[in-house]
Amino acid sequence: MIKPIQTRYAGYLFRSRLEARWAVFFDHLKLDWAYEPEGFQLPSGTYYLPDFRVNLRRGPMWFEIKPGEAESELFDEFITHAPKEFGGAVLNDIPDPRFVRDNHGAYYSGRYSDRPYMRWGGADETEGGGWDNHYRFCICEACGEVGFEFDGRSARIGCGCSIHQHSDKDYTPDHPRIVAAFAAARSARFEHEHREVYA
């Protein structure tokens, strides 16, 4: 059976290069992140270990990393039963930074252009649960705060900067820092899995 190559980066042993590349992306944006910081027992009885917790202005965000177009039933169960203030998404392959730059921050093309989907905690809609789509990383152009918001609307980050006073939009999913972070993640080279490598 073909298995991903375990990869060391920033003091962690990642289960795959793809996970390590997302860590490079988070580092490039100077985000506070932790890899597999805590495991959970799901209502089904299954034990589950989410890949990343990333601390953003609006609170912690959980991300599961899956190659290609894969989704995760375990992540869906986890975030559905998490407290309603928690949010999270399944992130797939690192997108081509040229596509992000030239397509206003879109990560995918064709029928997958809606991804990644954000899932909010809460077991039903009355508790705040449910899916939403077109979530993108974005950056406030005044203070530099990074967020993961609907359509990449940096006005929703919650930084309170005056440039957002008259709009809830300010689309920045194709901000040069985000494009550069994707480029850094895609171009990262890692040594043999038993050696420590820092970007």
Side-chain angles (χ1 to χ4, degrees):
M1 183 176 180
I2 296 175
K3 294 182 179 180
I5 298 173
Q6 290 186 328
T7 302
R8 288 192 184 276
Y9 171 76
Y12 291 98
L13 179 61
F14 294 94
R15 297 177 192 276
S16 70
R17 295 272 169 117
L18 181 58
E19 291 178 342
R21 290 187 190 287
W22 276 106
V24 171
F25 173 81
F26 297 143
D27 271 348
H28 203 81
L29 291 177
K30 297 182 173 31
L31 293 173
D32 176 25
W33 59 271
Y35 177 66
E36 296 185 342
E38 187 175 0
F40 301 89
Q41 185 174 11
L42 303 179
S44 64
T46 304
Y47 291 102
Y48 176 63
L49 189 60
D51 290 332
F52 285 96
R53 184 184 64 221
V54 179
N55 294 317
L56 299 175
R57 178 79 175 214
R58 291 207 298 161
M61 195 74 62
W62 295 94
F63 293 109
E64 180 71 19
I65 309 302
K66 292 292 181 186
E69 296 155 359
E71 298 180 4
S72 172
E73 291 180 12
L74 288 177
F75 180 78
D76 188 15
E77 183 182 357
F78 161 69
I79 206 69
T80 297
H81 295 283
K84 63 182 179 180
E85 64 270 17
F86 282 18
V90 175
L91 300 176
N92 299 118
D93 298 338
I94 301 290
D96 185 332
R98 297 168 298 178
F99 185 86
V100 174
R101 181 194 65 215
D102 298 337
N103 292 275
H104 307 293
Y107 295 177
Y108 296 89
S109 59
R111 67 191 182 97
Y112 294 101
S113 60
D114 290 348
R115 301 173 76 174
Y117 291 95
M118 169 69 86
R119 176 78 185 184
W120 293 101
D124 57 47
E125 295 297 328
T126 62
E127 296 180 19
W131 287 102
D132 202 357
N133 59 21
H134 289 32
Y135 272 72
R136 304 287 181 255
F137 289 96
C138 53
I139 293 177
C140 173
E141 295 188 282
C143 69
E145 192 80 37
V146 177
F148 187 71
E149 301 296 333
F150 176 72
D151 273 351
R153 297 180 182 187
S154 58
R156 296 186 176 191
I157 290 173
C159 56
C161 290
S162 61
I163 65 168
H164 308 306
Q165 287 179 349
H166 305 293
S167 172
D168 73 337
K169 297 181 173 54
D170 294 327
Y171 301 99
T172 60
D174 56 351
H175 190 282
R177 281 180 56 202
I178 292 172
V179 172
F182 282 136
R186 280 175 65 107
S187 64
R189 294 292 177 261
F190 305 98
E191 298 293 331
H192 189 272
E193 62 268 24
H194 297 298
R195 292 179 59 189
E196 194 75 28
V197 180
Y198 293 89

